[in-house]
Amino acid sequence: MLNSRLKVKLGNWLKERGPWSPIVISSRMRLARNLKDFFFPHHADEKQLAEISSLIRDVVINDPALKKFTFISLEELPFLDRLMLLEEHLISPDFSAGGKGRAVVLSRDGRVSIMVNEEDHLRIQSLLPGLQLLETRRMVDEIDERLSLHLDFAFLENWGYLTACPTNVGTAMRASVMMHLPGLVMTKRMREVVDFLSEGGTAVRGLFGEGSRALGNLYQISNQVTLGESEEEIITELSEVCREVVKEEEKARKTLLREDEMEFLDRVYRALGTLSYAKKVSFEEAIELLSTLRLGVETGLLPPFDGIDLNELMFRVRPAHLQNFIKKSLPEEEQDIARASLIKERLNLQGG
Amino acid sequence: MLNSRLKVKLGNWLKERGPWSPIVISSRMRLARNLKDFFFPHHADEKQLAEISSLIRDVVINDPALKKFTFISLEELPFLDRLMLLEEHLISPDFSAGGKGRAVVLSRDGRVSIMVNEEDHLRIQSLLPGLQLLETRRMVDEIDERLSLHLDFAFLENWGYLTACPTNVGTAMRASVMMHLPGLVMTKRMREVVDFLSEGGTAVRGLFGEGSRALGNLYQISNQVTLGESEEEIITELSEVCREVVKEEEKARKTLLREDEMEFLDRVYRALGTLSYAKKVSFEEAIELLSTLRLGVETGLLPPFDGIDLNELMFRVRPAHLQNFIKKSLPEEEQDIARASLIKERLNLQGG
């Protein structure tokens, strides 16, 4: 039996649609803030980290405007809970490993999180379905303002917010958009798109951020520049870029249908065949296959799966989500078996 | 529309079972014979090749005891017919490419063939299901004896039959057994078995002989020695070796079932899933997948396919057989589509 300490409702946003869905899956906004008069986390000792954490905890607990937030020390959080938060993109891979003085602040609806003592003292983040960077920014701004009533943030007139890593100095803002781009991958145009975006100062990363693979054709597109441009400019530019990418993805899907529908159909149906018959499926393979089904449904090659949200299923099959869902901690091979059953059951697939 | 010149009934033996079936698929026996007073084919000029061919043709046509045989000049045989014979293992890959003065003599039941002017003037071959090398030998001996009434074969007292390649001198006999060894492949023991057999003077080759891949876990095991041992000794030894390999394969299958049934089940069901849903399947993939299904049925993981012989299907999906069966010459991609449909239809698979 799992003993989760997360009392928040995760992943609710997944069932919702937003602007430019389904190609744009989600928008994420992150602000980095640091407390004046404290070393950055990687230079602070345990005592200082505890002090920082405690300061933030007091604010969260005592400000009635923040009552929808829960403060949880990472040390109190079981491994599987941390993995859940990582899989939801609410904390970073490094942060999910735990560490002294680290804590996470979560909104009850699972859309806002604050990592305490990650690279910076505070990393405030919000998450929404579809392309809605302005709204995510409004959400983090609200919390930022509220926190700044109680906490003294390091800020220099001509520099902006100070951050542990100089690439974040300035707005200390990172906006990032998760996109599903199987069409560009299958037409072998992704490399070209990545190069084009990089030249324009936009970073393209895999499913779990820096250095991770673009599992399931899921890409995170985010701003690189934080200095010398206003937040508004950054958001406008990034939104524009993402809309362009959506158009390219749509074009790629049309190309696939027009130029080699049989090849395309074959891929989609093979994915369906494997998910219908496999007795065990790894997380990575599940994401890949569901990505292909999703593309099949969106292009009309497959009928939609009744009442089943493929977005949501792409989360449910992640290791911690899967174990949380079936309420059992399992070794990896048994997870793969449970995953195969779960997918078959949810999609009502016949076979095997 | 295909215009086949093959009036023989090919592949009939496939539906039959023989001793040590199903792991032993077939036994093949081949004798090499050369005419005295003629150069070996690779040293003979076109005129001589035509003369040799004509000599043999006259014997086949005029001897009433050989009336169940047809003589066909390779030049008269369309490409697809030659490919059919290759896929049936009745002629060699090199021979199927055609060539001046070459001809094939076929028995009406497709169990006996003679290649004229391949590496040797005559290569007499017979084919039977299961492990029955003695019977295949009886069949080729019968023809050899009959032909020797009319033709003068090159033979030296202390050497035996002379052949173009010195490795065949002596008995000039090659016995070879086609085996289906997925268990040994999956338990990664095939390398070891091949090494063991090679040390003992037995050759192991892929589906289409020397240098070819062991597609679908199909291996040809044959004698290497032709000099210094009697035909009986060679046949007895090779049969013994094959029975040993069958036992090792059976052991491997039990290991798979005992040690990782889930992994095994997953492989078998994935093959079924792919064949149920794929829209196009290449020849190589079809052989691999059918090989896995065959293993699944033989180990009891899958119920048998009603009235369908997987052996036969593993032939029907080969390019020439496929086109012959659907009576249409198709470009490769369309063959793949037709192959996917054919398999689905024959196995009565639902999906896609």
Side-chain angles (χ1 to χ4, degrees), chain A residues 263 266 270 279-280 285, chain B residues 263 266 270 279-280:
Chain A
E263 171 73 31
D266 184 53
R270 277 169 183 260
K279 297 293 179 192
K280 52 181 195 175
E285 190 187 13
Chain B
E263 171 74 32
D266 184 53
R270 277 170 183 259
K279 298 293 178 191
K280 53 181 194 174

Side-chain angles (χ1 to χ4, degrees), chain A residues 177-326:
Chain A
V177 177
M178 177 80 75
M179 305 187 78
H180 185 228
L181 305 174
L184 287 168
V185 173
M186 285 190 198
T187 52
K188 300 193 168 42
R189 291 201 46 226
M190 199 56 215
R191 189 69 255 159
E192 175 195 328
V193 170
V194 169
D195 288 347
F196 176 77
L197 293 179
S198 308
E199 275 170 37
T202 305
V204 182
R205 297 189 173 87
L207 183 55
F208 290 110
E210 222 153 338
S212 71
R213 287 209 312 131
L215 216 54
N217 310 308
L218 295 169
Y219 289 87
Q220 294 192 61
I221 295 180
S222 59
N223 66 304
Q224 283 286 52
V225 177
T226 51
L227 196 62
E229 282 195 71
S230 74
E231 297 191 0
E232 285 71 20
E233 281 168 333
I234 293 169
I235 289 175
T236 306
E237 274 170 32
L238 187 63
S239 300
E240 186 48 45
V241 160
C242 289
R243 282 190 291 266
E244 281 305 312
V245 175
V246 168
K247 282 176 201 154
E248 289 302 314
E249 170 66 18
E250 283 169 346
K251 233 189 276 174
R253 293 177 182 194
K254 284 201 188 99
T255 305
L256 284 172
L257 283 171
R258 193 181 55 239
E259 290 183 2
D260 202 350
E261 190 179 341
M262 184 50 75
E263 171 73 31
F264 191 14
L265 205 60
D266 184 53
R267 283 219 209 186
V268 168
Y269 273 87
R270 277 169 183 260
L272 195 57
T274 301
L275 289 174
S276 299
Y277 282 85
K279 297 293 179 192
K280 52 181 195 175
V281 179
S282 72
F283 157 55
E284 288 80 4
E285 190 187 13
I287 294 279
E288 293 294 348
L289 294 171
L290 290 172
S291 161
T292 306
L293 288 199
R294 194 179 192 268
L295 177 66
V297 171
E298 283 164 20
T299 49
L301 292 181
L302 283 182
F305 295 92
D306 249 4
I308 291 301
D309 190 273
L310 286 175
N311 261 6
E312 199 197 350
L313 196 54
M314 281 171 95
F315 273 79
R316 288 276 167 274
V317 298
R318 300 176 186 195
H321 279 75
L322 175 79
Q323 294 173 80
N324 191 278
F325 183 75
I326 61 175

